[in-house]
Amino acid sequence: QLQLVESGGGLVQPGGSLRLFCAASGFALDSYAVGWFRQAPGKEREGVVCITSTGGTTTYVDSVKGRFTISRDNAKNMVSLLGNSLKPEDTAVYYCAAAGAAGGNHCSDSMWEYDYWGQGRQVTVSS
């Protein structure tokens, strides 16, 4: 079964850090671009950051630039998202997704361009 499994997240205090992990099962993630999306209550899902199969990164949300970092470990078939200086407005369900077009060398903030999705992890930033 081809799937993405996320872990991490949970309750974080304002100013704290976040680590989310996305592991692929049943396929090799190194041929895919991987994006992290998030969906806050009452809002549409938005692309946050993406990494290509060759390691190039793109950040789509201005408010997370300089605070969120995406990285990949192909040996572990996994992508990570590290967030620092978290704010209440970062509260959302976070999803990872994999896109195989162009050998994984194309990032996009359009959810329609992704082939596989994780189940989502709740991140709540609150004191």
Side-chain angles (χ1 to χ4, degrees), residues 35-117:
W36 284 97
F37 290 73
R38 68 184 182 184
Q39 188 166 16
K43 294 187 177 181
E44 293 186 352
R45 192 172 300 186
E46 64 176 352
V48 179
V49 62
C50 177
I51 187 167
T52 67
S53 56
T54 55
T57 63
T58 304
T59 302
Y60 298 106
V61 177
D62 287 342
S63 66
V64 309
K65 288 181 178 179
R67 297 192 299 119
F68 283 23
T69 302
I70 187 171
S71 61
R72 67 190 307 150
D73 186 336
N74 290 332
K76 295 183 178 179
N77 215 24
M78 178 180 292
V79 169
S80 302
L81 179 67
L82 170 64
N84 294 316
S85 302
L86 289 191
K87 306 173 182 180
E89 51 263 43
D90 294 319
T91 295
V93 177
Y94 284 73
Y95 301 86
C96 68
N105 206 30
H106 172 68
C107 269
S108 172
D109 62 346
S110 171
M111 55 187 293
W112 309 110
E113 298 193 33
Y114 287 81
D115 306 302
Y116 303 106
W117 287 83

